[in-house]
Amino acid sequence: MNTKSQELRTCLWLNYIWQDAFLKWDPEDYMGVQEIRLPIENIWSPDILLYNSVSENFDPSYKVKAVIRHTGSVNFLPPALVTSSCKVSVKHYPFDHQDCPFTFGPWSHHLQQMNVSLQAESADISMFEPSNTWQLLSMKATREEVLFESNPDDPPYVYINFHLKIRRWTKYGMQQFIIPCLITIGMSICVFLLPADAGEKIGLSITCLLTLVVFMQMLAAETPPTSDEAETPAIQVFFLMNMMSVG
């Protein structure tokens, strides 16, 4: 997850299953062969793509061979390293939750030409590799039929939406921002304990102020810019109030 550019890079295993009436055969006519593997380029395959992809190669999946059963069932399981857009909410940074969508669907076929359904209500996350930054909560799936306003007479298009819900681990944010900032505020309060004629009084205040400026720069490097309509991150308001207090 790149919170600065609001992009999510994910390694996925996509699983497509469909029936092809032209790929049926009787195993008794072919020495009992019940299953074959063919390059996906040699057979028909659905043009399902990730709509919110920001990859340089819009379809970065690896073209593995498809497994074909004698019943006409085709199973295509390509791995893909995708980069998708994910709008990051930084209101509660560094204790934030993110909901990153994956919108899959046929690119050139509407519902009457290609119907897409779900195999399960959520993705299989048993192969997930633990992250030092994010905790994986869930990845639910929903099916959606969409009508485009530009072509209201056309049948709807089918979208399969996966919602990846992740939560940031709290220890890093506490050690990197919250605790150092509280220590700096405590030092700034100690300025009032110094005698009025002490030369270190102004020096300590300026040092605390510069420390908070460094924290603000670190925060700006981790979080994306926010528009005027978006909510300001709570930690940014916290830093600004502390800077005003030190000033």
Side-chain angles (χ1 to χ4, degrees), residues 62-130:
Y62 183 74
K63 303 304 180 183
V64 297
K65 292 184 178 181
V67 180
I68 306 172
R69 298 281 298 173
H70 67 92
T71 57
S73 174
V74 182
N75 189 4
F76 182 47
L77 190 68
L81 188 60
V82 301
T83 304
S84 58
S85 60
C86 178
K87 186 177 180 180
V88 177
S89 174
V90 292
K91 178 182 178 181
H92 302 291
Y93 181 89
F95 311 111
D96 50 330
H97 295 67
Q98 304 298 337
D99 185 357
C100 296
F102 295 86
T103 303
F104 293 92
W107 189 259
S108 59
H109 296 85
H110 52 69
L111 179 59
Q112 294 181 359
Q113 297 171 338
M114 183 189 299
N115 188 13
V116 184
S117 59
L118 284 168
Q119 300 182 44
E121 295 181 355
S122 62
D124 183 4
I125 57 177
S126 60
M127 298 293 291
F128 173 71
E129 292 291 339

Side-chain angles (χ1 to χ4, degrees), residues 2-245:
N2 189 336
T3 55
K4 187 69 175 178
S5 61
Q6 304 190 74
E7 294 179 356
L8 178 65
R9 186 176 173 89
T10 319
C11 181
L12 302 173
W13 288 2
L14 308 175
N15 190 3
Y16 304 105
I17 299 175
W18 68 90
Q19 288 291 131
D20 195 329
F22 296 98
L23 295 177
K24 291 183 178 181
W25 71 88
D26 188 355
E28 296 181 356
D29 297 337
Y30 298 93
M31 296 182 294
V33 176
Q34 298 184 357
E35 183 179 278
I36 61 174
R37 287 161 176 79
L38 292 177
I40 194 64
E41 297 84 0
N42 295 350
I43 62 174
W44 179 91
S45 61
D47 59 341
I48 296 178
L49 296 175
L50 178 63
Y51 274 67
N52 60 326
S53 172
V54 291
S55 303
E56 294 182 2
N57 180 11
F58 199 83
D59 182 17
S61 60
Y62 183 74
K63 303 304 180 183
V64 297
K65 292 184 178 181
V67 180
I68 306 172
R69 298 281 298 173
H70 67 92
T71 57
S73 174
V74 182
N75 189 4
F76 182 47
L77 190 68
L81 188 60
V82 301
T83 304
S84 58
S85 60
C86 178
K87 186 177 180 180
V88 177
S89 174
V90 292
K91 178 182 178 181
H92 302 291
Y93 181 89
F95 311 111
D96 50 330
H97 295 67
Q98 304 298 337
D99 185 357
C100 296
F102 295 86
T103 303
F104 293 92
W107 189 259
S108 59
H109 296 85
H110 52 69
L111 179 59
Q112 294 181 359
Q113 297 171 338
M114 183 189 299
N115 188 13
V116 184
S117 59
L118 284 168
Q119 300 182 44
E121 295 181 355
S122 62
D124 183 4
I125 57 177
S126 60
M127 298 293 291
F128 173 71
E129 292 291 339
S131 169
N132 292 330
T133 307
W134 298 97
Q135 179 185 5
L136 176 61
L137 301 179
S138 64
M139 193 173 181
K140 300 296 183 180
T142 58
R143 181 182 180 274
E144 181 182 10
E145 297 182 6
V146 180
L147 283 171
F148 290 99
E149 297 180 357
S150 57
N151 298 314
D153 298 331
D154 290 348
Y157 284 76
V158 181
Y159 289 158
I160 301 296
N161 300 312
F162 289 90
H163 293 275
L164 177 67
K165 294 184 181 296
I166 53 179
R167 177 175 60 192
R168 193 186 302 270
W169 293 109
T170 58
K171 183 176 70 173
Y172 176 80
M174 290 293 295
Q175 296 177 349
Q176 194 76 9
F177 293 105
I178 305 301
I179 295 178
C181 186
L182 292 176
I183 294 175
T184 304
I185 296 304
M187 293 176 60
S188 65
I189 296 176
C190 294
V191 171
F192 296 99
L193 300 178
L194 296 175
D197 56 350
E200 294 81 5
K201 196 177 184 72
I202 299 298
L204 181 58
S205 296
I206 293 176
T207 301
C208 294
L209 185 62
L210 292 176
T211 304
L212 291 174
V213 171
V214 173
F215 287 148
M216 288 289 290
Q217 292 179 345
M218 293 173 58
L219 180 64
E222 292 286 338
T223 57
T226 55
S227 62
D228 294 342
E229 293 80 11
E231 296 179 322
T232 305
I235 190 172
Q236 188 174 2
V237 176
F238 176 64
F239 284 165
L240 289 174
M241 296 300 294
N242 289 335
M243 291 176 66
M244 294 174 60
S245 174

